[in-house]
Amino acid sequence: MRVFGVVGIAACVAATAACSSSDDGDGNGTTASGGTYTWWDPYPQHEDSSDWAQRVDACGDEAGVTIERTAYDTTALTNQALLAAQEGSAPDIILLDNPAVSTLADTGMLTTMDEFGFDTSEIDENLLAAGVVDGEPYGIPIGANTLALYYNEDILDEAGVAPDAISDWSSLTEALEQIDAAGSQGITFAGIGTEEGSFQFLPWYWGAGADLRALDSPEAVEALELWTSWVDAGYAPNSVITNSQNTVWEEFLTGRFAFALNGTWQVNSAAEADFPTGVIALPGRDGGVAPTPTGGEFITAPVQSDEARYDVTTQIVECMTTPEGLVETATTFAYYIPPTHAGQEALLESSPELEPWVDAVRNAKGRTSDDLGTDYPLISEALWTAVQNALSGAMSPADALDQAQADAEAALN
């Protein structure tokens, strides 16, 4: 997952000469420099020689232009995009972490997909919702990732726990009791005081039936009591309060934990672990699959002063978002699930082992869904602060969430 928080506009960290919203076009969607289109994404780990960079270049080649790609980390990308909105120097295409879409749409710097001429009807509604503001989609998800429970088969076998018997919170807690009695550690997760903490808590929060507009609801309290009860009983380590998702995974790979809450992006690593692993969907309080938050990026088209550029931009976006293009992106990253049913089925034909993740994505929910939009980061910060206060023992879950609701209301008013 790539996370997004409330950030100020940073100083420009790259020359704005790299942007392409100037009026020096030739009327055919090309620039005086010979057909260069600018592209920003949040993947600095993928260098120019990577499969991802080559995929981007190939879409430029297909459109008959050169793509000038600039990669920032997620926060820097959002800052730079906000600065570009102020200066009128936006690139032709930006890939955005999905909670950031509403923030940039609020500035007026993004075209809607309807304005851009894209039909989004084939995109799974639960995935598209993260980029919808006031009923208008401002981007297309290039894929999605989400959370599930990885498990260590050896530990579960030794404790006599059948993973397919875990169907609700009660059966999961009973499994943790058995694992603890057998001498192994139960579960590790990320309760860190950042967006990652909210991201990992949301499946339990939503799985209890809680709503992000009411952080102090009885359902919300039940979810936080679940986490704190696991820590108090020793089923989860005290380190969860500072664990990032990477730390959680490092703990799991030691072979000491039965379960780890983590994401699609660890599929390859799990396959290479020193012990056999499996995956189960996160259970809701009373059964069924809990809604999990979607991670992943949307491809967006910023407003350009030279509207002639849109023709080529459309071709580039289409290259990325055809059914075949979505599967190719999923394959390139190895952890993205296509955002359409057809794309998911095509992916499963070649990678049937990803079925649990396809199921999880189909049940997932955007963090800014329910028209939370730019309110979400403020609510999320109040939520992760409550999680910290409860896990540390500074406050009871009920008191922590009462405070969170008051803080969220103050921030939003």
Side-chain angles (χ1 to χ4, degrees):
M1 185 212 51
R2 293 176 174 82
V3 298
F4 169 71
V6 181
V7 291
I9 298 175
C12 186
V13 295
T16 55
C19 304
S20 303
S21 59
S22 61
D23 290 321
D24 59 353
D26 64 4
N28 294 312
T30 60
T31 66
S33 60
T36 299
Y37 277 66
T38 48
W39 169 294
W40 293 357
D41 67 43
Y43 310 135
Q45 72 274 31
H46 295 289
E47 300 177 351
D48 290 346
S49 60
S50 67
D51 290 344
W52 169 247
Q54 292 177 36
R55 166 128 178 74
V56 173
D57 288 344
C59 283
D61 292 343
E62 188 173 309
V65 297
T66 299
I67 292 181
E68 181 178 299
R69 173 179 171 255
T70 304
Y72 303 96
D73 68 42
T74 299
T75 299
L77 175 62
T78 305
N79 285 340
Q80 191 65 25
L82 289 167
L83 182 62
Q86 282 192 332
E87 296 181 341
S89 58
D92 294 288
I93 294 169
I94 308 180
L95 259 64
L96 289 169
D97 186 26
N98 68 76
V101 175
S102 58
T103 297
L104 295 194
D106 195 54
T107 70
M109 74 173 293
L110 299 180
T111 61
T112 70
M113 291 298 96
D114 288 343
E115 291 170 339
F116 210 60
F118 277 96
D119 179 6
T120 58
S121 62
E122 297 299 315
I123 306 294
D124 288 355
E125 188 175 348
N126 66 318
L127 303 180
L128 184 66
V132 174
V133 179
D134 295 331
E136 293 286 350
Y138 281 85
I140 298 174
I142 62 167
N145 51 45
T146 194
L147 297 168
L149 274 181
Y150 288 91
Y151 62 85
N152 181 321
E153 289 185 16
D154 290 343
I155 291 178
L156 266 61
D157 287 346
E158 183 178 347
V161 172
D164 58 4
I166 296 171
S167 58
D168 54 19
W169 289 3
S170 177
S171 56
L172 176 56
T173 300
E174 288 174 5
L176 295 176
E177 291 173 356
Q178 289 179 242
I179 290 160
D180 182 68
S184 293
Q185 293 182 276
I187 187 169
T188 182
F189 52 83
I192 191 171
T194 69
E195 176 62 20
E196 289 192 30
S198 290
F199 189 79
Q200 289 228 328
F201 184 59
L202 280 173
W204 314 98
Y205 186 91
W206 285 332
D211 187 297
L212 284 171
R213 293 288 187 187
L215 297 177
D216 56 351
S217 70
E219 293 83 4
V221 174
E222 282 188 76
L224 192 48
E225 286 176 342
L226 181 71
W227 268 22
T228 55
S229 71
W230 288 345
V231 173
D232 291 343
Y235 303 153
N238 291 326
S239 63
V240 296
I241 194 170
T242 56
N243 274 358
S244 68
Q245 294 190 111
N246 284 338
T247 308
V248 167
W249 195 247
E250 290 168 2
E251 289 182 336
F252 182 64
L253 289 180
T254 65
R256 294 184 288 111
F257 287 88
F259 295 101
L261 180 56
N262 227 288
T264 328
W265 51 92
Q266 302 293 8
V267 166
N268 288 346
S269 179
E272 297 168 358
D274 294 333
F275 48 88
T277 63
V279 177
I280 59 172
L282 289 165
R285 178 190 59 194
D286 301 319
V289 177
T292 54
T294 55
E297 281 69 47
F298 274 60
I299 190 166
T300 66
V303 173
Q304 303 293 324
S305 57
D306 179 7
E307 294 185 4
R309 300 185 66 80
Y310 292 150
D311 287 343
V312 171
T313 301
T314 298
Q315 296 176 52
I316 297 169
V317 174
E318 285 177 342
C319 174
M320 280 283 166
T321 58
T322 61
E324 299 79 12
L326 291 169
V327 172
E328 187 172 345
T329 295
T331 303
T332 298
F333 279 125
Y335 55 74
Y336 263 154
I337 304 301
T340 65
H341 190 81
Q344 293 159 9
E345 291 301 319
L347 180 66
L348 288 176
E349 286 182 11
S350 59
S351 303
E353 71 278 5
L354 293 177
E355 185 173 2
W357 293 107
V358 170
D359 290 342
V361 163
R362 287 175 176 173
N363 284 281
K365 181 176 179 178
R367 285 165 278 169
T368 58
S369 297
D370 302 326
D371 282 331
L372 290 180
T374 56
D375 289 350
Y376 171 76
L378 303 173
I379 295 170
S380 177
E381 183 172 1
L383 183 60
W384 82 57
T385 301
V387 171
Q388 288 274 294
N389 286 334
L391 291 179
S392 68
M395 303 175 77
S396 70
D399 288 345
L401 288 165
D402 282 343
Q403 183 64 55
Q405 181 65 19
D407 291 345
E409 289 175 357
L412 293 172
N413 293 329

